[in-house]
Amino acid sequence: LSQMDRNAPDYGSGFNDFNTFYIQASTTSKGGSSGSPVVNIEGQAVALNAGGSNQSLSCFLLPLHRIVYAFEYIRRREIPPRGTLQTVFKHITHVQAERFGLDPTAAVQEGGRTQDATGFLIVDKILPDGPASGSLQVGDIVISINDKPVAEFPEMSAIVDAAVDREISVKVYSGGIFRTESVAVQDLYSVTPSKILRLGGAVLHDMSLQKAVYASAPIYGVYIAIDTNGFIPEKYRDCRHVIYAVNDVPTPNLDTLMDVLADVKRDEPAVLTIKNMHDLRNENVVIARHPQITLPNAVFTRSPATGFWSSAPYAGMAVPSKADSISTMSASESEETTTAVDSVFAKSSGIGSFADAFAQSTVVIEASSICPADNGGFESDSGIGLVLDKRLGILLCCADLATNPTHMYAVVFGGLARVPATLAYMHPLYPVCFLKYDPALLAEEEEAVGAVAVSDLDMAGDRARSQDMPLDVGEQVTVYVGSTSRGIAKTPATVLSRSIAGSTTCDWCMNHRYFKTEVFGLAPAVALGSTSIGVVCDGKGRIGGLWVQQPTCRHQSSSGGFMVGLDIALVLPVLQSLRVAEDEVDIVRVLDVEFSSRSLATARVLGVGDQHIRQMSRGPNAQSSVFMVSRILSRRGPDEPALEVGDIVLSVDGRPVRHINDLACLYSRDLARLRIVRKRVEQTVVLPTTGLSGVSTRHVVCWAGGFMQKPWKRVLERANRIPSDVYTYTSFSGSPVNAELSETSTFVTAIDEQPVQTLDDAVRIIQALKSESAQDFNARVAGGKAFSSGMMPGRDVIVRGVTLAGQELVGTIRTNDHYFPAWQIRRGPKASDFWAWSAI
């Protein structure tokens, strides 16, 4: 032990001890050993292992005096008295005290102690508006408290804890003067949050002493601990912000905030006054909106007698919203969509140019997720979308706004009208997605806020370039990009290149994998935000392509993606299908292989005939390469026809393959007739294609803190075998699944030794495992009688699974139906169906 009176270490995380000594030692203990006992040579416990330094072998040990104090009360089923002055003290040596001008002899004469003490305690921080504010000062050296000499933390703690809700007399030295101050001792439990509100996915509680000390801020307001569903605007969810008022009513604590929100309807926005803990001079007024679907709003209250937390429903903002009261959107009857040529705009809608029409087709899209899914976590974002069909409520946006299929969407028109929307189709091959909203809801909003000018960006009408004429290298184009203010940026550019964009994920990444496709590049490369989207028009003003960001996995790029141009012919079939289909659109068919290009010279060596090579190398659409199968993405039975690695595809359904786009997506074709070269022999094969869903995840189950869903396509590509249709991929920190199952990326094959093949199987088994005593336990916790109710409601369960590599696993968990109850979210088969939450 190298030091017995060390001040508490600064861990740099905002959560640090204070007003206690630490013992410093040199050990090799690392993370995970915190809380283990430190014993002397005779086997007696002298401290608890608490922390360490990453730069050295220094270890920080917590002395036992506070632990023993609390333990003596707890063993008697009593609550240990705890007092606070909302003041941080630090220990200084006698030499340091003399530098402040304190003479040791004078200190003893004034009632202080120097014998058997290594120094004094000095005031290091005083919280604004706290008990010591206005009496003690930073730099005061403590001489005595209640006429008792105080030179160490244990002496101070004993006096303060014994004087809760009373005043103490503190003699201090500062600036050459001894003086005595009377300070009220506050109950520490009164500034320790004992109530938590889960509201719209946000977790709120009273400002705590720990956070106040970290930020040198007053203990006032409601702290924003976390927000997973987008109730609080994203900028203010960084664990540094405090709510000071709601709808202009001050909220000094959580109870006041709950009272204010009790009469606010679910659809009504709440106006929050928020301050940064580190910048209290400035305040921000923001709008908070309750998400469409979240976990139930609830209040969690800690029992001081037992330490357990009980839950109860919170009635505030509980009125069902419009989105909750409808399961599907109704198609509105209105006039047919207008075409996009300038002359037609001027004639039918009063819009004089394409730029005007583009601006009025631009909307702001807000997205927030309900839970993790498809390798996406709790996420929220906002970006730009384009109205493609206002009569049917169809929007287009970039793929970064659909990284999680459980996203809930809100569309803001003209900065005024706000309506909910659903993910109608996420293109499995190209980085765009389609949303749907109910035009009837927009009409209702317009009745309240006034008419909003909305125009179609008719990519399939007279304004569109022919699908058989992709933008060519050297063409002069104009890029239109929208903004949240409905302004637009109009940038002239030149088509610089046409190339094949490589795979967007590495082999070990589980993010959505965008296949190789032909894209075009522009000069200058018009920069966009990751959640924006642009339109590329040719020299005649016709829409020829989209300008979007192609996402990449975090292993490949820290920037998140790169800009690409997509021919509109690649995505128009989806728009056409969405216009006529009510159920999920399922038109994308693929050969489920990856291709690589080979030069014509190499193709000749591999067996491609001279006639085909001459055909490919001549004419206006001359090409210098062919495409060869480089990877098989799905496995077929031994008797099923399939492509093989090394096959060169010459034509599809009689049409020569000149571009990778001729192979990447075969819309609505269940069978494909291919002319190929296999092992230097030209032959014809007829193959079934594989359908790719635009919204594959419509059911997510949360059990024991772990999330289960149907495996998405990237999982199916990576797995050596598919033993079940239930895949678990992540979990809540501290949950039974997180703590007890070493591998979470697993196909679940059995729960409680009952076979699992589908999510419905899992739900049925989980329902049978649910503890009948959960509600009774919660009631006992609320009544301070949790210890008399027996064990936490739950049971030991055996879970079997198979990893992506095909390794079989078995483990056990102890479920916890009190803190981690089971629930699920489901979404119907229609593109306009919303998610719905239910308990299991």
Side-chain angles (χ1 to χ4, degrees):
L1 305 181
S2 59
Q3 186 176 358
M4 302 293 292
D5 55 0
R6 189 194 195 285
N7 282 306
D10 182 1
Y11 295 112
S13 62
F15 293 91
N16 295 297
D17 278 334
F18 48 87
N19 295 346
T20 182
F21 283 134
Y22 263 73
I23 301 171
Q24 185 167 324
S26 180
T27 75
T28 57
S29 61
K30 293 296 181 183
S33 62
S34 296
S36 58
V38 179
V39 297
N40 62 14
I41 196 171
E42 297 181 3
Q44 299 169 323
V46 295
L48 288 185
N49 199 359
S53 171
N54 293 327
Q55 285 75 40
S56 68
L57 290 179
S58 295
C59 183
F60 308 128
L61 315 176
L62 187 66
L64 294 182
H65 67 274
R66 299 300 291 162
I67 299 167
V68 172
Y69 169 80
F71 177 65
E72 292 299 329
Y73 279 92
I74 292 172
R75 75 194 308 182
R76 299 194 300 266
R77 304 282 178 90
E78 297 176 2
I79 300 174
R82 302 288 305 280
T84 180
L85 306 180
Q86 293 192 26
T87 301
V88 176
F89 297 87
K90 282 194 173 181
H91 182 261
I92 59 174
T93 64
H94 289 301
V95 173
Q96 291 172 316
E98 290 181 20
R99 292 173 181 168
F100 278 97
L102 178 61
D103 178 67
T105 303
V108 172
Q109 293 174 348
E110 291 290 332
R113 179 169 67 90
T114 58
Q115 189 176 5
D116 298 327
T118 58
F120 293 91
L121 301 182
I122 188 171
V123 176
D124 184 63
K125 182 181 295 187
I126 300 173
L127 295 189
D129 304 325
S133 178
S135 53
L136 299 182
Q137 299 175 9
V138 173
D140 284 348
I141 298 175
V142 178
I143 304 300
S144 64
I145 301 178
N146 289 348
D147 297 327
K148 297 180 180 178
V150 171
E152 297 179 340
F153 286 117
E155 299 167 338
M156 172 181 286
S157 299
I159 296 173
V160 171
D161 288 345
V164 173
D165 294 331
R166 291 184 284 136
E167 290 191 349
I168 57 175
S169 176
V170 183
K171 177 175 282 190
V172 297
Y173 169 86
S174 180
I177 299 175
F178 292 93
R179 71 180 195 280
T180 300
E181 301 286 354
S182 180
V183 183
V185 178
Q186 187 177 11
D187 189 343
L188 180 63
Y189 298 111
S190 69
V191 290
T192 302
S194 59
K195 185 180 293 184
I196 295 173
L197 174 65
R198 182 177 68 200
L199 178 64
V203 175
L204 312 174
H205 59 71
D206 287 333
M207 186 68 165
S208 68
L209 176 63
Q210 180 68 247
K211 279 296 183 182
V213 167
Y214 171 59
S216 298
I219 300 179
Y220 183 98
V222 178
Y223 178 69
I224 304 169
I226 192 173
D227 183 7
T228 58
N229 293 133
F231 177 68
I232 306 293
E234 183 179 11
K235 182 179 178 181
Y236 306 99
R237 300 181 218 147
D238 55 5
C239 300
R240 294 184 299 176
H241 288 86
V242 181
I243 301 173
Y244 268 60
V246 176
N247 294 342
D248 296 326
V249 178
T251 53
N253 51 53
L254 183 64
D255 285 336
T256 306
L257 179 142
M258 292 168 58
D259 290 341
V260 174
L261 292 178
D263 297 326
V264 176
K265 296 180 180 179
R266 176 74 60 90
D267 282 326
E268 294 177 355
V271 181
L272 308 183
T273 302
I274 293 179
K275 291 186 180 183
N276 188 311
M277 293 189 303
H278 304 282
D279 183 16
L280 296 176
R281 297 172 301 171
N282 299 306
E283 62 183 34
N284 302 277
V285 178
V286 302
I287 303 299
R289 299 179 185 273
H290 198 290
Q292 303 161 25
I293 305 296
T294 65
L295 297 180
N297 295 335
V299 180
F300 300 88
T301 305
R302 184 179 183 274
S303 167
T306 65
F308 286 107
W309 293 76
S310 62
S311 64
Y314 173 60
M317 303 193 83
V319 178
S321 68
K322 298 171 186 176
D324 293 332
S325 63
I326 56 176
S327 58
T328 60
M329 302 175 189
S330 59
S332 296
E333 295 297 330
S334 63
E335 296 182 359
E336 292 296 321
T337 304
T338 58
T339 56
V341 292
D342 288 346
S343 60
V344 177
F345 279 140
K347 187 181 301 180
S348 64
S349 61
I351 300 175
S353 69
F354 175 73
D356 294 333
F358 180 83
Q360 293 192 5
S361 72
T362 301
V363 296
V364 175
I365 298 174
E366 301 170 353
S368 60
S369 58
I370 305 173
C371 69
D374 287 17
N375 206 48
F378 286 106
E379 302 165 350
S380 61
D381 212 337
S382 62
I384 299 299
L386 302 173
V387 178
L388 302 185
D389 192 321
K390 65 179 182 181
R391 182 178 66 88
L392 298 176
I394 301 176
L395 303 171
L396 179 72
C397 63
C398 67
D400 262 3
L401 286 175
T403 53
N404 184 326
T406 72
H407 271 337
M408 302 167 292
Y409 295 95
V411 184
V412 182
F413 296 84
L416 294 173
R418 188 175 187 273
V419 299
T422 60
L423 176 63
Y425 193 85
M426 180 176 178
H427 206 294
L429 304 181
Y430 313 123
V432 294
C433 60
F434 295 82
L435 307 183
K436 290 197 74 174
Y437 67 92
D438 188 350
L441 293 181
L442 176 59
E444 291 181 15
E445 284 289 301
E446 288 182 307
E447 290 180 2
V449 301
V452 179
V454 180
S455 296
D456 292 328
L457 188 68
D458 189 8
M459 297 195 307
D462 295 336
R463 187 72 177 191
R465 184 180 172 115
S466 172
Q467 298 184 39
D468 296 326
M469 295 175 57
L471 293 170
D472 202 1
V473 174
E475 279 199 63
Q476 302 299 307
V477 298
T478 303
V479 183
Y480 295 86
V481 179
S483 71
T484 56
S485 62
R486 299 202 92 179
I488 63 170
K490 180 180 176 182
T491 307
T494 303
V495 179
L496 180 66
S497 63
R498 293 195 69 93
S499 59
I500 297 177
S503 173
T504 60
T505 58
C506 54
D507 286 341
W508 55 85
C509 185
M510 299 305 295
N511 290 347
H512 183 80
R513 184 185 182 92
Y514 291 101
F515 293 83
K516 293 184 178 180
T517 185
E518 183 172 313
V519 299
F520 60 84
L522 297 178
V526 181
L528 290 183
S530 63
T531 57
S532 191
I533 189 169
V535 170
V536 182
C537 293
D538 63 14
K540 296 182 179 180
R542 299 170 301 184
I543 302 173
L546 301 171
W547 189 243
V548 297
Q549 185 172 100
Q550 179 105 320
T552 58
C553 73
R554 63 181 181 273
H555 304 110
Q556 289 185 332
S557 172
S558 59
S559 63
F562 52 91
M563 304 309 304
V564 297
L566 297 176
D567 296 322
I568 59 170
L570 300 179
V571 298
L572 284 183
V574 176
L575 172 61
Q576 294 161 355
S577 296
L578 286 172
R579 281 174 165 164
V580 298
E582 289 189 6
D583 290 340
E584 178 185 353
V585 173
D586 186 16
I587 65 169
V588 172
R589 314 289 297 183
V590 297
L591 297 172
D592 229 7
V593 299
E594 285 191 3
F595 294 95
S596 59
S597 60
R598 294 291 186 269
S599 67
L600 293 180
T602 301
R604 177 180 284 110
V605 175
L606 295 174
V608 177
D610 291 340
Q611 180 180 355
H612 184 79
I613 290 177
R614 285 194 297 269
Q615 182 184 3
M616 292 288 292
S617 60
R618 296 175 182 175
N621 295 320
Q623 298 295 317
S624 60
S625 60
V626 296
F627 298 99
M628 185 177 73
V629 176
S630 59
R631 184 177 184 180
I632 307 296
L633 297 177
S634 65
R635 297 159 183 81
R636 300 188 185 276
D639 298 328
E640 294 182 277
L643 289 173
E644 299 177 2
V645 172
D647 287 349
I648 297 175
V649 181
L650 306 179
S651 66
V652 178
D653 293 334
R655 183 173 181 174
V657 175
R658 295 182 177 274
H659 306 277
I660 189 65
N661 293 341
D662 297 330
L663 290 169
C665 185
L666 307 177
Y667 282 113
S668 303
R669 280 183 271 186
D670 296 332
L671 294 174
R673 184 180 181 87
L674 308 180
R675 190 68 177 169
I676 66 172
V677 174
R678 175 178 294 171
K679 297 178 180 178
R680 301 180 59 82
V681 177
E682 188 170 323
Q683 55 187 282
T684 298
V685 295
V686 178
L687 304 176
T689 59
T690 301
L692 299 183
S693 174
V695 186
S696 60
T697 300
R698 292 182 177 270
H699 188 190
V700 180
V701 174
C702 182
W703 173 62
F707 291 91
M708 296 182 287
Q709 68 167 84
K710 184 178 180 179
W712 59 98
K713 190 175 190 307
R714 185 65 179 134
V715 174
L716 300 178
E717 292 172 1
R718 292 248 351 242
N720 282 347
R721 61 189 179 99
I722 315 297
S724 81
D725 221 17
V726 179
Y727 185 74
T728 177
Y729 53 96
T730 190
S731 59
F732 283 121
S733 296
S735 66
V737 168
N738 177 264
E740 300 177 48
L741 293 183
S742 59
E743 181 68 49
T744 55
S745 299
T746 306
F747 293 95
V748 178
T749 57
I751 298 176
D752 198 34
E753 300 293 44
Q754 300 181 59
V756 171
Q757 281 297 307
T758 67
L759 283 172
D760 288 334
D761 292 339
V763 170
R764 173 179 50 79
I765 298 170
I766 292 169
Q767 286 174 330
L769 294 174
K770 187 175 180 179
S771 173
E772 297 181 356
S773 63
Q775 288 187 335
D776 180 64
F777 184 85
N778 186 67
R780 287 179 175 272
V781 170
K785 301 178 180 179
F787 288 121
S788 62
S789 66
M791 296 183 65
M792 186 79 71
R795 55 175 294 179
D796 295 318
V797 180
I798 299 175
V799 180
R800 295 185 182 273
V802 176
T803 67
L804 291 173
Q807 178 185 352
E808 294 188 7
L809 299 176
V810 62
T812 63
I813 63 172
R814 175 76 186 182
T815 62
N816 187 325
D817 293 336
H818 181 63
Y819 288 131
F820 295 95
W823 52 269
Q824 62 182 336
I825 58 171
R826 286 181 180 267
R827 187 182 173 199
K830 296 183 179 180
S832 53
D833 285 338
F834 287 89
W835 286 97
W837 181 96
S838 64
I840 296 179

